Amino acid sequence: MPKIDVEEQLKLRFLQPLLACMPRRVVVWHDADGEFAPEFERLAAEGFDGAGTDDSVMPAHGDFERPVRFVEACEGRMFAVKKLVNRDDLVSDILLYRRCPRGRLEGDLLADVELYADQFQADYLSLLADQLGIENIDAVRESLREHKTFFDAKTRCAKFAACVPHASSASDIELGILTVIFGGKELGDARPAFVLRGCMTMLLHEGPEALAELVDKYCVHDVLSAFIVRCYGFDGPLYERDSLLMLASHVLLTAASTALPEGALKGLESYVAPAYGSYCLEAVRTWDQTADTQASSEDLFEICRLVEDARGLFARFETLPIDVLTSLDVFPCVNEAVLSQLFCSFAQGADRVEDARAFAARRCDLSWYRRVESYFDLLAAVADMCAFRQSHAGGFHLAQPQQVWDAYSSDWYAMDAAYRHMCTAYLRARSVECDALEEPARAVADWAENLYSNWFLADANVCWAAAAQGEWADCGYIDGPARQDEFYWHVLPAFVGSAKTTVVIVSDALRYEVARDVAALLERERGGNVKVSSMQAVFPSITEVGMPALLPHQVLELAEDGAFVLADGMPTATTPQREAVLTHVEPTARALRSSAYLNMAGTERKALLKDSRLVYLYHNKIDATGEKAATQDDVFDACADTVEELAALARRVCTDAPGARVVMTADHGFIYTRRELNECQMLGKPDLPFLDAPVMHGKRHLVVPNEAVAKLSEEACEMFVNVGMGRLGAGFEGFAPRENVHFKRPGGTNNYVHGGMSLQELCVPVIGFWRARSGSKDFVDTRVATLRVLSEGRRVTNSLFSVNLIQEEPAQGKVLPCEYELVFTDASGNEVSDTVKAHANKTSANSQERVVHAKFALRAADGFSAKGPYYLVCRERETGKIVWRETYTIAVSFAPVADFGF
């Protein structure tokens, strides 16, 4: 028992000034167990500070303005004490010592004294109750006495008071003790779910022996067992070898039963307690809301795996319809079972686009999504590829080259983007430990590869070559789309306007579909304006030709040996040489690598843009990665990095020079396929009789002197297309293989190639970007996509219920995606349900496809007031900012199911 200085506390009582209406002070000292009887006897003999007494009366002295009489009220002399206090001594202050608890006035002869006197309790349990903030000591006295061992330590008392600051029942005392011994430190920890989590994690990490030792140490062995039975309906043993499996099976399967139809858990009914479904679901959903979320989530994941394996849940879920499993977020294997099913269906040619998109849209807001997010990304990309196949089931049959160009730049490029996303997702997924999905993912990736390489890449470019080959042979380009060799004089002015400073960012091998991602990212800028177009690259679509074509010139000339290209007779191979070409037409022009620009000090960058009307910045991430055999398979990752880097570079430029216009383009595109070509898709030396005299030769291009063309047979001509080389001077002929066929050459790369005339290689992006000032006519602010309640009813009558919301507009352009948290609270802001995530990230123009389903579980409580009010609160997950509140009525009583008493 801790040392209690009652003399000092009593002294302070008697030294306090009296109110104007009080002639003296009477203090009743309650000591129900007589623990302080010797202390009272000493005071009655010595008085305060050893001042002494005369017949138990301490005379007035010092700060004591009146005498103090010490009186013990014991059985047999209660009337005499009453008479003494009320009639015989009306002058002295009185300390009345009683061996009884405070508050029991019925039948008490001194009830009137109790009512007007000051109260002082100095027994251990009363002082402990005061320390713990307990107001009604009688309601918890026996419980405190029973758990004295726990309250012996000040640190445990402090933690208990922090977790349960106003305990009012024995159940509160038990909850507080269990919370503290399992690591609770604050008010929000004192919940049944916290205790369950602590119990299960201790069983997981330390075993049943450690749990038994802990609860025995604080004499709560039976308390914990009774608590688990009362709160979650589990009446099995907690301290045996299989306790964790049995308890986890009960809790997790009971929680899962709330989202599954009858019969889905056939054979496992012994582990399910339907009456406790909402409580078990709440415990699972709030599991990872702890200080160490990652560690806590890992624990739950391991426990779920234990139950999944023991109860054969993966095989069971594989046989259930997808719509049955869509909202079940208890077990990780739900994602794996459905993903496996969908992957296998796609790999077999089935149309599962709607199923895949609906499942992915729902699961992104639920548990365990992040663990297999790369597989969901793979699913989304495969679904996009399949949807494209469906919308172009008739093939590609456009006759005019301009039509093909327009179709690619507005629609067909999406297949290249989906294939890129598929490849990057598959590569990421391979590093995720998930044996159940490894083979299904491999099968669906192979199917997607087949679809892209053997259907889209082949058929779309067959259509393109058939439409354009006549014009290619005549002049090397088609009439209509902008041309790369006219960029400086005809394309650039349309993007620059009246800007004083123009910055051209040339990103090597920036493919058109990748550039569309850059444009989408920049369009999300506050006040950012974006314009996207395309132009056709010069053949051969390689850096040595594309870079000079972007410079100001009247004539481009290919050197006789094909080693370099001259612009108006000036070399163009290096950055300083290109700067020289630029200064020939614009004396203030500068050319430098983007890395060099970013490495400058801020004052240097601003001075550069202030002094130069034209700046060319050269960026090289994609081609530098793809051109090397060791890194070519990382080219799509390089594309993702390029998107971020170019957007950041454009923002940096517009910050350094607020009025500048940024134009982004490329020297060429590329083709990449994850699988290497078959031998039949390679053209070797026997197929090329003029191969002995090439001027330029790559995997996808060939430039030869005119005189060598005479050796070409009509049969050989069908293997590739002839491209007029007039734009690079006279005396040469160009040839490009059809579809995705390669010229066979030793070394180099096989998966990543460029130089040919495919749409992917030839379609070069042009992106204009500028930032409008706030208040100008071009300024458009960004805003986040919002959600609103779609469900009409505002009355909750079940502990488990759903709310339908709608994303009000597509998350495109200036409308940014946003992640929200939804939770129900009472009028004081206390949360009364679990917290549900909701993404407002849907891009569909169809409002029906932007509906969000949120499923809630109310927290266990004694009941909810039907008068309310309660609120559905929507807040931004990142900032915690409350966006809106909708008023609800909750008419649900938990008491008939489980009397928690908390």
Side-chain angles (χ1 to χ4, degrees), residues 861-892:
D862 291 335
F864 292 89
S865 170
K867 297 180 180 179
Y870 295 91
Y871 301 97
L872 171 57
V873 177
C874 177
R875 60 189 179 224
E876 292 183 5
R877 188 161 189 250
E878 184 175 347
T879 64
K881 174 186 174 184
I882 294 178
V883 181
W884 48 256
R885 297 195 312 171
E886 284 282 344
T887 304
Y888 271 74
T889 298
I890 299 180
V892 177

Side-chain angles (χ1 to χ4, degrees), residues 394-650:
F396 308 95
H397 304 293
L398 300 176
Q400 298 301 316
Q402 178 74 60
Q403 292 177 321
V404 179
W405 186 270
D406 292 342
Y408 180 77
S409 59
S410 64
D411 176 24
W412 295 0
Y413 77 88
M415 187 60 161
D416 290 321
Y419 176 73
R420 171 166 60 91
H421 296 151
M422 186 279 295
C423 290
T424 54
Y426 180 61
L427 283 175
R428 290 199 313 274
R430 287 169 60 181
S431 64
V432 176
E433 294 182 15
C434 188
D435 293 343
L437 291 177
E438 185 174 344
E439 286 307 314
R442 184 189 301 276
V444 80
D446 288 343
W447 171 85
E449 182 70 34
N450 238 5
L451 182 68
Y452 181 74
S453 299
N454 298 334
W455 174 69
F456 174 72
L457 204 55
D459 290 8
N461 281 302
V462 164
C463 174
W464 170 233
Q469 61 187 354
E471 294 187 44
W472 287 344
D474 290 341
C475 57
Y477 58 86
I478 66 169
D479 189 39
R483 291 162 39 192
Q484 188 181 49
D485 57 336
E486 295 181 338
F487 170 76
Y488 186 84
W489 300 112
H490 297 288
V491 178
L492 188 58
F495 284 81
V496 171
S498 59
K500 293 181 179 180
T501 302
T502 300
V503 177
V504 177
I505 301 174
V506 183
S507 183
D508 203 327
L510 179 65
R511 195 159 74 170
Y512 179 77
E513 54 90 9
V514 180
R516 294 295 296 237
D517 284 357
V518 179
L521 189 56
L522 286 173
E523 199 169 8
R524 296 177 181 178
E525 281 287 297
R526 186 172 183 266
N529 289 270
V530 178
K531 180 181 178 181
V532 182
S533 186
S534 63
M535 59 187 180
Q536 47 189 325
V538 176
F539 178 82
S541 51
I542 58 177
T543 299
E544 294 83 351
V545 176
M547 290 297 185
L550 295 169
L551 298 171
H553 65 271
Q554 299 299 323
V555 178
L556 289 179
E557 295 176 280
L558 179 62
E560 289 187 10
D561 61 357
F564 54 87
V565 173
L566 300 173
D568 294 339
M570 303 175 69
T572 59
T574 66
T575 301
Q577 289 173 346
R578 294 169 197 165
E579 183 174 292
V581 175
L582 289 169
T583 56
H584 192 65
V585 296
E586 172 52 60
T588 66
R590 291 290 307 276
L592 62 160
R593 294 183 180 275
S594 60
S595 57
Y597 174 79
L598 292 173
N599 287 334
M600 289 180 175
T603 53
E604 290 181 276
R605 293 195 308 269
K606 293 176 181 178
L608 171 72
L609 297 179
K610 182 179 180 181
D611 296 339
S612 305
R613 291 180 57 85
L614 177 65
V615 176
Y616 269 51
L617 299 178
Y618 291 98
H619 176 272
N620 186 8
K621 182 82 171 203
I622 298 173
D623 210 46
T625 304
E627 287 280 14
K628 299 172 185 175
T631 60
Q632 65 173 337
D633 289 337
D634 299 327
V635 70
F636 283 158
D637 285 334
C639 290
D641 292 341
T642 294
V643 170
E644 298 292 336
E645 290 175 11
L646 291 181
L649 182 57

Side-chain angles (χ1 to χ4, degrees), residues 150-462:
F150 173 84
F151 292 107
D152 277 347
K154 289 183 179 180
T155 54
R156 290 197 294 271
C157 290
K159 290 178 181 177
F160 181 96
C163 294
V164 187
H166 303 292
S168 60
S169 66
S171 295
D172 286 349
I173 301 298
E174 292 176 357
L175 173 62
I177 292 172
L178 293 174
T179 299
V180 172
I181 68 173
F182 285 121
K185 298 177 182 178
E186 55 190 37
L187 180 61
D189 292 339
R191 301 199 60 80
F194 184 91
V195 175
L196 177 68
R197 179 165 64 243
C199 177
M200 292 175 72
T201 52
M202 177 164 276
L203 286 170
L204 174 68
H205 293 295
E206 302 177 51
E209 297 83 4
L211 179 63
E213 183 180 347
L214 176 69
V215 296
D216 287 343
K217 178 180 179 181
Y218 299 109
C219 305
V220 289
H221 185 286
D222 295 335
V223 170
L224 177 61
S225 297
F227 180 91
I228 298 297
V229 172
R230 187 168 71 246
C231 295
Y232 297 106
F234 176 73
D235 57 1
L238 291 178
Y239 314 107
E240 297 182 2
R241 187 180 63 180
D242 293 330
S243 291
L244 176 60
L245 177 59
M246 298 300 292
L247 174 60
S249 296
H250 173 90
V251 172
L252 296 177
L253 288 170
T254 298
S257 70
T258 63
L260 291 172
E262 187 176 352
L265 296 176
K266 186 176 181 180
L268 300 174
E269 293 89 349
S270 61
Y271 302 107
V272 178
Y276 295 85
S278 59
Y279 313 120
C280 291
L281 182 61
E282 180 203 357
V284 175
R285 283 188 168 182
T286 59
W287 184 288
D288 59 0
Q289 295 175 11
T290 64
D292 190 354
T293 299
Q294 184 61 34
S296 182
S297 181
E298 289 296 327
D299 291 342
L300 180 58
F301 180 77
E302 190 172 344
I303 292 170
C304 286
R305 284 294 198 231
L306 180 69
V307 176
E308 290 170 359
D309 294 342
R311 309 307 175 205
L313 296 183
F314 181 85
R316 179 182 295 266
F317 292 153
E318 269 194 316
T319 64
L320 295 177
I322 290 179
D323 58 347
V324 167
L325 298 171
T326 299
S327 296
L328 177 59
D329 62 343
V330 175
F331 294 104
C333 72
V334 171
N335 286 332
E336 296 155 15
V338 176
L339 285 169
S340 175
Q341 182 187 146
L342 290 171
F343 285 157
C344 291
S345 294
F346 277 119
Q348 294 165 8
D351 172 14
R352 303 297 298 275
V353 173
E354 294 305 318
D355 288 341
R357 287 176 172 171
F359 184 73
R362 181 70 184 102
R363 300 303 292 186
C364 71
D365 294 326
L366 302 182
S367 301
W368 312 123
Y369 175 82
R370 299 296 179 199
R371 286 186 169 270
V372 288
E373 186 174 7
S374 55
Y375 283 103
F376 274 103
D377 291 341
L378 174 61
L379 179 68
V382 168
D384 288 343
M385 293 178 71
C386 186
F388 185 91
R389 177 71 176 86
Q390 292 170 2
S391 62
H392 298 82
F396 308 95
H397 304 293
L398 300 176
Q400 298 301 316
Q402 178 74 60
Q403 292 177 321
V404 179
W405 186 270
D406 292 342
Y408 180 77
S409 59
S410 64
D411 176 24
W412 295 0
Y413 77 88
M415 187 60 161
D416 290 321
Y419 176 73
R420 171 166 60 91
H421 296 151
M422 186 279 295
C423 290
T424 54
Y426 180 61
L427 283 175
R428 290 199 313 274
R430 287 169 60 181
S431 64
V432 176
E433 294 182 15
C434 188
D435 293 343
L437 291 177
E438 185 174 344
E439 286 307 314
R442 184 189 301 276
V444 80
D446 288 343
W447 171 85
E449 182 70 34
N450 238 5
L451 182 68
Y452 181 74
S453 299
N454 298 334
W455 174 69
F456 174 72
L457 204 55
D459 290 8
N461 281 302
V462 164

Side-chain angles (χ1 to χ4, degrees), residues 140-153:
V140 298
R141 178 178 293 276
E142 292 307 314
S143 183
L144 290 176
R145 190 192 311 280
E146 184 179 347
H147 299 293
K148 266 187 176 183
T149 304
F150 173 84
F151 292 107
D152 277 347

